[in-house]
């Protein structure tokens, strides 16, 4: 079966703002992809540039893993690094796909055309089902070209010099069906040590929901779309228990697109976490500015 190397192209040595924040960006999205790919029987590895000394480390990882497909995840601040690593991978003759928030919002900025370097395919919006479909094409001996990709949802590619953006793949409704992120594929101890040194506690990220129903203009091309979906409280509590036991964390950082929509879910989550002996204090990506929502009561109890 086709093998995959997933790439997190954010290098702390190149990002002064990230260094100052002392809270390295956790590549949870590609760890979800890695888990889905591994569950389907494919070999998968992750190159995480966060703590690497320079981009040359990617060349060594590429040679060591020898993947059939390279997938680069990107946000806007890492676009230049993502395109550079993609060019290095394409120079070895391997097909390269890009995904994540920035490629979803601006696929044309990533696709190779008119002599400009770039990637072969953009995977836009949620990637688990689409990346598995691309690997199936490779397993069947089909190249990732316009003929093959013209039958796939959730991709963008170049045909006759023009960028073609296929319709988004329907989002995954049952989030409990997803395997937990493959955190074992990156150096979690290094992340935890950095957090503990900077903040005095050990923290990891967790996702309890996908999507946001509000449709703010600046977020209309969000990876998870406007359809709000939430995991069951029990599945979140089980993951919390696993993280507590495996990594001895003191706190969780929630990275959902939006927080605190359903009070009933929050109450059930608190009860499930208590029943699983997994009551861990948590924080959101940003400081809460509202004080009129019941979330605060439940947050204090966890």
């Amino acid at each position: 079966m086709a093998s995959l190397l997933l790439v997190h192209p954010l290098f702390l040595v190149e990002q002064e703002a990230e260094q100052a924040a002392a809270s390295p960006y956790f590549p949870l999205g590609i760890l979800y992809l890695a888990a889905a790919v591994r569950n389907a029987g494919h070999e998968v590895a992750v190159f995480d540039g966060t703590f690497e000394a320079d981009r040359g480390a990617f060349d060594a990882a590429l040679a060591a893993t020898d993947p059939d497909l390279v997938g680069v995840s990107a946000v806007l601040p890492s676009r230049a690094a993502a395109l550079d690593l993609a060019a290095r991978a394409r120079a070895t003759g391997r097909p390269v796909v890009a995904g994540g928030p920035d490629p979803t919002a601006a696929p044309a900025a990533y696709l190779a055309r008119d002599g400009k370097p770039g990637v072969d395919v953009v995977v836009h919006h949620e990637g688990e089902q689409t990346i598995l479909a691309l690997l199936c094409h490779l397993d069947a001996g089909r190249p990732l070209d316009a003929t093959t990709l013209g039958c796939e949802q959730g991709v963008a590619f170049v045909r006759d010099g023009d960028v073609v953006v296929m319709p988004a793949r329907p989002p995954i409704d049952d989030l409990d069906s997803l395997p937990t992120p493959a955190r074992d594929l990156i150096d979690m101890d290094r992340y935890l040590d950095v957090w503990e040194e900077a903040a005095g506690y050990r923290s990891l990220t967790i996702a309890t929901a996908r999507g946001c129903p509000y449709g703010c203009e600046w977020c209309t091309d969000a990876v998870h779309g406007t359809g709000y979906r939430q995991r069951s409280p029990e599945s979140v509590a089980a993951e919390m228990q696993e993280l507590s036991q495996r990594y001895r964390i003191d706190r969780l950082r929630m990275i959902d697109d939006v927080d605190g929509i359903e009070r009933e879910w929050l109450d059930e989550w608190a009860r499930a976490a208590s029943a699983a002996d997994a009551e861990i204090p948590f924080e959101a990506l940003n400081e809460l500015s509202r004080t009129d929502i019941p979330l605060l009561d439940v947050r204090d109890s966890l």
Side-chain angles (χ1 to χ4, degrees):
M1 299 181 77
S3 59
L4 173 67
L5 175 63
L6 288 167
V7 181
H8 179 52
L10 192 148
F11 295 79
L12 276 181
V13 295
E14 301 176 0
Q15 301 282 342
E16 292 185 5
E18 292 286 345
Q19 293 177 44
S23 55
Y25 181 84
F26 296 90
L28 198 64
I30 64 173
L31 299 184
Y32 264 109
L33 290 179
V37 168
R38 186 164 61 183
N39 261 26
H42 297 274
E43 290 186 19
V44 60
V46 173
F47 171 78
D48 181 9
T50 302
F51 303 112
E52 297 293 348
D54 55 50
R55 297 182 190 179
F58 172 72
D59 301 324
L62 188 62
T65 56
D66 191 23
D68 298 304
L69 179 65
V70 176
V72 183
S73 177
V75 293
L76 183 56
S78 65
R79 181 189 288 185
L83 289 170
D84 176 56
L85 300 191
R88 294 172 186 235
R90 287 189 87 221
T92 68
R94 295 175 172 87
V96 180
V97 304
D102 194 40
T104 291
Y110 285 83
L111 289 165
R113 61 178 176 143
D114 301 328
K116 181 189 72 175
V119 303
D120 299 284
V121 190
V122 163
V123 172
H124 59 81
H125 297 92
E126 283 186 352
E128 285 90 354
Q129 298 174 86
T130 305
I131 199 70
L132 287 173
L134 296 182
L135 289 168
C136 284
H137 285 305
L138 293 179
D139 283 340
R142 293 187 289 268
L144 300 184
D145 58 14
T147 301
T148 299
L149 298 172
C151 301
E152 283 298 338
Q153 296 175 310
V155 297
F157 55 94
V158 174
R159 180 167 55 203
D160 298 329
D162 297 322
V163 173
V164 177
V165 181
M166 299 295 288
R169 194 176 293 271
I172 299 168
D173 287 327
D174 181 11
L175 298 184
D176 286 1
S177 67
L178 292 171
T180 55
R183 295 181 177 90
D184 58 295
L185 295 182
I186 65 173
D187 189 353
M188 295 306 305
D189 289 334
R190 184 72 179 274
Y191 279 101
L192 290 167
D193 289 345
V194 169
W195 271 94
E196 190 165 23
E197 181 178 349
Y201 59 86
R202 296 164 63 88
S203 178
L204 288 181
T205 51
I206 192 169
T208 73
R210 288 184 175 183
C212 175
Y214 297 126
C216 300
E217 183 176 352
W218 60 270
C219 199
T220 52
D221 279 328
V223 169
H224 298 307
T226 57
Y228 183 71
R229 296 149 287 145
Q230 194 143 33
R231 296 170 58 188
S232 69
E234 293 75 18
S235 75
V236 177
E239 185 176 356
M240 292 166 64
Q241 183 186 54
E242 178 186 353
L243 295 179
S244 178
Q245 292 176 349
R246 179 175 296 185
Y247 299 110
R248 297 176 290 106
I249 57 173
D250 304 304
R251 193 175 300 185
L252 287 171
R253 172 170 281 202
M254 293 177 63
I255 60 166
D256 299 339
D257 294 323
V258 63
D259 303 312
I261 288 184
E262 297 181 9
R263 172 62 194 248
E264 182 179 354
W265 186 93
L266 291 165
D267 287 335
E268 292 178 2
W269 177 35
R271 287 192 290 270
S274 178
D277 193 23
E279 296 171 301
I280 306 170
F282 69 92
E283 60 192 6
L285 280 174
N286 299 299
E287 200 66 33
L288 286 172
S289 58
R290 291 181 57 189
T291 59
D292 62 331
I293 54 177
L295 169 64
L296 298 179
D297 301 331
V298 180
R299 182 178 61 170
D300 290 340
S301 72
L302 288 176

